[in-house]
Amino acid sequence: MSKSTTSSTQPDPRTAKGSLAAFKGLMPFLRPYRKQFVLAAIALVFAAGATLAIPYAFKQMIDLGFAPASGPRNIDNVNATFLALFGVATVLAVATAARFYTVSWLGERVTADIRDAVYRHVVTQSPEFFETTQTGEVLSRITTDTTLIQAVVGTSVSVALRNTLLFLGGLVMLFVTSPKLSSIILGLLVLVVVPIVLFGRRVRSLSRASQDRIADASAMAGEILNAMPTVQAFTHEKLEATRFGQLVEGAFGTAMKRIRARSLLTMIAIVLVFGTIVFVLWLGAHAVLEGAMTTGDLGQFVLYASIVAGSIGALSEVMGEAQRAAGATERLMELLSVKSPIENPSKPFALPARTANGAALALNDVTFSYPSRPEVAALEHLSLSIKPGETVAVVGPSGAGKTTLFQLFLRFYDPQGGSITLDCVDIRQLDLHTLRGAIGIVPQDTVIFSADAMENIRYGRADATDEEVIQAAKQAAAHEFIERLPEGYKSFLGERGVRLSGGQRQRIAIARALLKNPPLLLLDEATSALDAESERLVQSALEAAMVGRTTVIIAHRLATVQRADRIIVMEDGKIVETGTHASLVALGGIYANLAALQFHNVHVTH
């Protein structure tokens, strides 16, 4: 089982410079919401300003309200001070609520946009990407990583900006209150920043490693859950559970290293910051006793020092969250930067108008190797011309290159040499939707979606009416068994079609292809999973469907290809025999040997 990442999605060490560098990739997702950021900033400034006004109100209350003076004036001062304090608290409450609502909205909105962008990008990737990238890895990035970014955009950025304002504002007010004590506290706080920065880098690297381990576990779980029948058939439940447990424990161990580093960072920050504050307040207490400061000044200094200390502590917490989100952002940006080798042409050609007979298809000296196996030629200097309306069967041993032909027809890959034309147009000059819209395929492994029977067939053509869906089902001999389902065409077919037999899933796929009504039809073992009766029904339906279109059939069961206009025999990526069933049997070559093995010398009419 392969690793879950490809070289195209491996992290580039040059990008791992720091949190700010990593977050640059988020800018395209943040720019559309400048207005909301401005509103959040305004609310943030008002909230920070109200917070910074509270210590000054307390100073006024202490110095004017409780200092020795005549009674009535003191009561008036106390009343006015408390009324002002309530006003400040009201402003703080409204601004905080507005800030929370705005930044939470931004977090949800930006995260939704990122998830949508990543998913839209991933579904446009060629099969080359999915050869070596597990779906669990992609899902981990779309879910877990975007959740971390949501926490940063929706909470941490706001908290960081708020505490930065409080730190700067509190620092200014400390100097206004007592320049001497503030100079001492500032010099000591500079020493506090050094260990915070050093440990912050350590947390960031561990955060990235933690996310990678979680993605590995998620990828393996997705792979195994999709293959449960095979796992259970080989009685590997305990083995797979153990393997998953080892990955989970590995992720836990990496996470604990990150948590220990963050815990140590928090402890160091709190001890150093509050140690500094306590020391300076001790100096301040002596200044009051010596008459160099008023009691109100000391009280104000204490509150501003608490605000500064609290803001530094909050910023260290936010730094830890930012380190985790920076790693997540890098992983998502790596995924978004992956380029598919299969791209639409800048100026696509149009296909000629469809004729009554179907499409012409040709391969001209095609050579192709899969990207994951570049040293092995899947097709080698292969040329083939198929006329409109012709039915061509492709047979040969496993690994001969039959399925590769279909993947090239659909332009899942581009050949390294030669060209493929559809109605005399190089398929590389066609828009991908135009090309694939002209091709209907019934794959060997039928995909059934978690939807009802009607929607599964309608997948062939999204704008088809219910009547057209039912007609396609009738042509594919699927109507009767669908009608017998508990809710007919509205019956849910289960995840991956678990409620259907193999033959029923195959007929759903055939109905889907017939509904699309393409000029070129590709059948990959289209009747392989059918019993004798279903095969007879489907074979007659397919023969009717082949009228008016070009058909290419891959089949190991030679009984399904005997009526083809031409049979192509492939071996090792080359065409080694061409002819009809009768002529190839008479030739006595590879096809004749295959026929002898399957028919056991039973006479077959042609």
Side-chain angles (χ1 to χ4, degrees), residues 394-408:
V394 183
V395 301
S398 296
K402 305 185 296 297
T403 301
T404 301
L405 281 179
F406 280 17
Q407 293 182 319
L408 293 181

PDB file of all heavy atoms in Angstrom, residues 394-408:
ATOM      1  N   VAL A 394     -12.004  -5.629 -28.838  1.00  0.00           N
ATOM      2  CA  VAL A 394     -10.583  -5.718 -28.494  1.00  0.00           C
ATOM      3  C   VAL A 394     -10.415  -6.836 -27.478  1.00  0.00           C
ATOM      4  O   VAL A 394     -11.022  -6.807 -26.408  1.00  0.00           O
ATOM      5  CB  VAL A 394     -10.064  -4.390 -27.914  1.00  0.00           C
ATOM      6  CG1 VAL A 394      -8.575  -4.481 -27.620  1.00  0.00           C
ATOM      7  CG2 VAL A 394     -10.343  -3.238 -28.870  1.00  0.00           C
ATOM      8  N   VAL A 395      -9.636  -7.836 -27.809  1.00  0.00           N
ATOM      9  CA  VAL A 395      -9.408  -8.973 -26.920  1.00  0.00           C
ATOM     10  C   VAL A 395      -7.912  -9.168 -26.744  1.00  0.00           C
ATOM     11  O   VAL A 395      -7.093  -8.615 -27.468  1.00  0.00           O
ATOM     12  CB  VAL A 395     -10.068 -10.265 -27.457  1.00  0.00           C
ATOM     13  CG1 VAL A 395     -11.559 -10.089 -27.616  1.00  0.00           C
ATOM     14  CG2 VAL A 395      -9.425 -10.671 -28.787  1.00  0.00           C
ATOM     15  N   GLY A 396      -7.583  -9.977 -25.762  1.00  0.00           N
ATOM     16  CA  GLY A 396      -6.180 -10.272 -25.494  1.00  0.00           C
ATOM     17  C   GLY A 396      -5.991 -10.602 -24.035  1.00  0.00           C
ATOM     18  O   GLY A 396      -6.895 -10.392 -23.205  1.00  0.00           O
ATOM     19  N   PRO A 397      -4.835 -11.112 -23.665  1.00  0.00           N
ATOM     20  CA  PRO A 397      -4.576 -11.466 -22.265  1.00  0.00           C
ATOM     21  C   PRO A 397      -4.525 -10.222 -21.385  1.00  0.00           C
ATOM     22  O   PRO A 397      -4.384  -9.099 -21.863  1.00  0.00           O
ATOM     23  CB  PRO A 397      -3.221 -12.170 -22.331  1.00  0.00           C
ATOM     24  CG  PRO A 397      -2.573 -11.643 -23.575  1.00  0.00           C
ATOM     25  CD  PRO A 397      -3.681 -11.408 -24.548  1.00  0.00           C
ATOM     26  N   SER A 398      -4.618 -10.441 -20.075  1.00  0.00           N
ATOM     27  CA  SER A 398      -4.520  -9.329 -19.131  1.00  0.00           C
ATOM     28  C   SER A 398      -3.176  -8.623 -19.286  1.00  0.00           C
ATOM     29  O   SER A 398      -2.139  -9.275 -19.467  1.00  0.00           O
ATOM     30  CB  SER A 398      -4.666  -9.839 -17.694  1.00  0.00           C
ATOM     31  OG  SER A 398      -5.952 -10.376 -17.490  1.00  0.00           O
ATOM     32  N   GLY A 399      -3.198  -7.285 -19.229  1.00  0.00           N
ATOM     33  CA  GLY A 399      -1.976  -6.511 -19.386  1.00  0.00           C
ATOM     34  C   GLY A 399      -1.607  -6.237 -20.825  1.00  0.00           C
ATOM     35  O   GLY A 399      -0.544  -5.697 -21.102  1.00  0.00           O
ATOM     36  N   ALA A 400      -2.494  -6.596 -21.761  1.00  0.00           N
ATOM     37  CA  ALA A 400      -2.179  -6.389 -23.171  1.00  0.00           C
ATOM     38  C   ALA A 400      -2.304  -4.928 -23.576  1.00  0.00           C
ATOM     39  O   ALA A 400      -1.749  -4.504 -24.593  1.00  0.00           O
ATOM     40  CB  ALA A 400      -3.094  -7.252 -24.037  1.00  0.00           C
ATOM     41  N   GLY A 401      -3.066  -4.116 -22.775  1.00  0.00           N
ATOM     42  CA  GLY A 401      -3.243  -2.703 -23.096  1.00  0.00           C
ATOM     43  C   GLY A 401      -4.656  -2.337 -23.503  1.00  0.00           C
ATOM     44  O   GLY A 401      -4.897  -1.234 -23.997  1.00  0.00           O
ATOM     45  N   LYS A 402      -5.605  -3.249 -23.277  1.00  0.00           N
ATOM     46  CA  LYS A 402      -6.985  -3.010 -23.718  1.00  0.00           C
ATOM     47  C   LYS A 402      -7.617  -1.831 -22.962  1.00  0.00           C
ATOM     48  O   LYS A 402      -8.144  -0.896 -23.569  1.00  0.00           O
ATOM     49  CB  LYS A 402      -7.833  -4.273 -23.517  1.00  0.00           C
ATOM     50  CG  LYS A 402      -7.262  -5.514 -24.198  1.00  0.00           C
ATOM     51  CD  LYS A 402      -8.185  -6.707 -24.068  1.00  0.00           C
ATOM     52  CE  LYS A 402      -8.379  -7.153 -22.623  1.00  0.00           C
ATOM     53  NZ  LYS A 402      -7.113  -7.608 -22.003  1.00  0.00           N
ATOM     54  N   THR A 403      -7.576  -1.876 -21.636  1.00  0.00           N
ATOM     55  CA  THR A 403      -8.169  -0.794 -20.837  1.00  0.00           C
ATOM     56  C   THR A 403      -7.419   0.512 -21.031  1.00  0.00           C
ATOM     57  O   THR A 403      -8.004   1.598 -20.979  1.00  0.00           O
ATOM     58  CB  THR A 403      -8.175  -1.194 -19.348  1.00  0.00           C
ATOM     59  OG1 THR A 403      -8.927  -2.406 -19.187  1.00  0.00           O
ATOM     60  CG2 THR A 403      -8.802  -0.104 -18.493  1.00  0.00           C
ATOM     61  N   THR A 404      -6.129   0.431 -21.296  1.00  0.00           N
ATOM     62  CA  THR A 404      -5.337   1.633 -21.569  1.00  0.00           C
ATOM     63  C   THR A 404      -5.891   2.386 -22.768  1.00  0.00           C
ATOM     64  O   THR A 404      -5.916   3.622 -22.787  1.00  0.00           O
ATOM     65  CB  THR A 404      -3.865   1.251 -21.815  1.00  0.00           C
ATOM     66  OG1 THR A 404      -3.355   0.589 -20.670  1.00  0.00           O
ATOM     67  CG2 THR A 404      -3.023   2.487 -22.107  1.00  0.00           C
ATOM     68  N   LEU A 405      -6.346   1.655 -23.771  1.00  0.00           N
ATOM     69  CA  LEU A 405      -6.954   2.294 -24.937  1.00  0.00           C
ATOM     70  C   LEU A 405      -8.107   3.187 -24.520  1.00  0.00           C
ATOM     71  O   LEU A 405      -8.219   4.338 -24.958  1.00  0.00           O
ATOM     72  CB  LEU A 405      -7.470   1.229 -25.915  1.00  0.00           C
ATOM     73  CG  LEU A 405      -6.462   0.548 -26.830  1.00  0.00           C
ATOM     74  CD1 LEU A 405      -7.163  -0.481 -27.700  1.00  0.00           C
ATOM     75  CD2 LEU A 405      -5.746   1.574 -27.697  1.00  0.00           C
ATOM     76  N   PHE A 406      -8.987   2.662 -23.663  1.00  0.00           N
ATOM     77  CA  PHE A 406     -10.155   3.432 -23.229  1.00  0.00           C
ATOM     78  C   PHE A 406      -9.725   4.683 -22.452  1.00  0.00           C
ATOM     79  O   PHE A 406     -10.306   5.754 -22.604  1.00  0.00           O
ATOM     80  CB  PHE A 406     -11.058   2.571 -22.354  1.00  0.00           C
ATOM     81  CG  PHE A 406     -11.944   1.630 -23.134  1.00  0.00           C
ATOM     82  CD1 PHE A 406     -11.664   1.336 -24.461  1.00  0.00           C
ATOM     83  CD2 PHE A 406     -13.052   1.047 -22.551  1.00  0.00           C
ATOM     84  CE1 PHE A 406     -12.472   0.471 -25.186  1.00  0.00           C
ATOM     85  CE2 PHE A 406     -13.880   0.188 -23.272  1.00  0.00           C
ATOM     86  CZ  PHE A 406     -13.583  -0.107 -24.592  1.00  0.00           C
ATOM     87  N   GLN A 407      -8.689   4.544 -21.625  1.00  0.00           N
ATOM     88  CA  GLN A 407      -8.232   5.696 -20.849  1.00  0.00           C
ATOM     89  C   GLN A 407      -7.650   6.776 -21.744  1.00  0.00           C
ATOM     90  O   GLN A 407      -7.775   7.969 -21.449  1.00  0.00           O
ATOM     91  CB  GLN A 407      -7.211   5.243 -19.805  1.00  0.00           C
ATOM     92  CG  GLN A 407      -7.834   4.356 -18.729  1.00  0.00           C
ATOM     93  CD  GLN A 407      -6.841   3.949 -17.669  1.00  0.00           C
ATOM     94  OE1 GLN A 407      -5.696   3.635 -17.970  1.00  0.00           O
ATOM     95  NE2 GLN A 407      -7.277   3.948 -16.422  1.00  0.00           N
ATOM     96  N   LEU A 408      -7.038   6.371 -22.847  1.00  0.00           N
ATOM     97  CA  LEU A 408      -6.513   7.352 -23.798  1.00  0.00           C
ATOM     98  C   LEU A 408      -7.631   7.967 -24.624  1.00  0.00           C
ATOM     99  O   LEU A 408      -7.593   9.166 -24.930  1.00  0.00           O
ATOM    100  CB  LEU A 408      -5.476   6.698 -24.717  1.00  0.00           C
ATOM    101  CG  LEU A 408      -4.171   6.230 -24.065  1.00  0.00           C
ATOM    102  CD1 LEU A 408      -3.239   5.639 -25.114  1.00  0.00           C
ATOM    103  CD2 LEU A 408      -3.478   7.373 -23.337  1.00  0.00           C
TER     104      LEU A 408
END
